[in-house]
Amino acid sequence: MRGRFITFEGGEGAGKSTQIRRLRERLEKAGVAVTVTREPGGSPGAEMIREVLLSGKAKSLGPRGEAMLFAAARADHVDATIRPALDARSWVLCDRYADSTRVYQGEAGVDGQMLDLLELAATAGLVPDLTILIDIPAEIGLKRVEARSHNPAGTAPDRFEADTLAVHERRRALFLELAEAQPERVTVVDGTGDVASVEDAIWRAVEARLGLAGHG
Ligand code: Z5A
């Protein structure tokens, strides 16, 4: 049996990376093999494209050009990392996937038909079994990212974090619209609670939606 494919979505500082680490630990304790990966990136070719995108070097290509680069990175990631892991019966936990292109590049003006074409080209039909949307007000997420950037181990804001609060709020609304349109795939988890309570909500969603029987 093939592994399960779970993606995490949400705005900056929503807690995706934190919760992926926690879910990985819980799944491994339950005897499930887990592969953690991220977008843009997750394979050697896609990590090269990540650097170009997040540094802002590709901004001059415009939203459509950036969308194409995200799609090129995703195609390599799907082929080199995600499909082989699923075929090896590993559960794949992926920090962002195609919904992020819909929201970020869609908000920036790339039209729906173009996004459909790019998604098909990049994923060749690989759709997540479950998408966890961690929802928080943009202001809270940005404060978390800001606090992290003051930490000596933290990172400076990237090309997309630097956008205005209004842009971040529109992205949040688009993520919620997407979840409402596809409730069978996307579950919304309130990300404003403490790390442990968000972790529990995600675990309940994974148990309810995917179950664990037959794995491990
Ligand atoms: N992008 C795009 O435009 N199109 C696409 O197709 C794709 C991506 C795939 C990737 O950035 C950027 O690319 C992204 C969208 C765009 N825009 N930005 N920026 P990234 O991979 O570098 O970053 P990110 O995905 O936005 O993740 P993030 O900002 O690092 O956030 P996170 O992973 O959701 O959060 P975290 O690292 O787990 O937590 C952030 C901080 O909050 C950290 O200090 C935690 O300790 C703290 N935290 C976490 N949870 C909590 C709770 N519950 N309470 C309090 N504090 C918490």
Side-chain angles (χ1 to χ4, degrees):
M1 192 207 229
R2 165 187 172 281
R4 301 300 190 112
F5 182 28
I6 306 177
T7 59
F8 284 71
E9 298 283 1
E12 279 65 40
K16 299 179 303 300
S17 319
T18 304
Q19 294 302 331
I20 285 174
R21 280 195 295 276
R22 299 246 171 162
L23 180 59
R24 170 189 216 152
E25 281 168 21
R26 284 178 90 143
L27 285 170
E28 285 179 345
K29 270 191 200 138
V32 175
V34 176
T35 299
V36 167
T37 189
R38 68 169 180 185
E39 291 207 349
S43 61
E47 288 290 332
M48 284 193 304
I49 300 175
R50 177 185 175 92
E51 207 283 312
V52 174
L53 281 164
L54 298 197
S55 65
K57 283 178 199 150
K59 195 173 176 184
S60 62
L61 297 179
R64 191 178 58 147
E66 285 184 312
M68 288 178 183
L69 285 181
F70 278 111
R74 182 161 304 127
D76 189 61
H77 184 213
V78 166
D79 289 351
T81 303
I82 302 177
R83 282 193 195 275
L86 293 173
D87 289 346
R89 303 183 63 192
S90 186
W91 285 35
V92 174
L93 309 185
C94 186
D95 194 339
R96 299 193 180 279
Y97 189 61
D99 295 324
S100 279
T101 306
R102 295 255 160 211
V103 166
Y104 283 75
Q105 282 62 57
E107 190 283 329
V110 180
D111 74 61
Q113 214 180 351
M114 170 68 67
L115 292 173
D116 286 345
L117 287 171
L118 289 175
E119 184 169 323
L120 188 63
T123 66
L126 181 67
V127 177
D129 296 300
L130 172 65
T131 295
I132 293 166
L133 170 59
I134 304 183
D135 177 55
I136 55 167
E139 210 168 348
I140 296 180
L142 292 172
K143 279 201 181 117
R144 288 182 188 169
V145 170
E146 160 93 10
R148 188 178 57 189
S149 71
H150 292 141
N151 176 331
T155 49
D158 66 35
R159 142 93 179 85
F160 297 92
E161 280 165 6
D163 288 325
T164 64
L165 184 61
V167 169
H168 287 283
E169 282 296 359
R170 280 202 297 278
R171 289 174 185 154
R172 180 189 185 201
L174 287 173
F175 270 126
L176 289 170
E177 266 177 34
L178 217 144
E180 206 174 300
Q182 297 181 58
E184 66 298 336
R185 174 175 68 84
V186 186
T187 191
V188 182
V189 169
D190 177 3
T192 58
D194 61 27
V195 171
S197 65
V198 179
E199 176 188 341
D200 284 342
I202 290 173
W203 183 248
R204 283 196 299 276
V206 170
E207 278 190 321
R209 300 279 186 123
L210 301 182
L212 290 167
H215 287 270

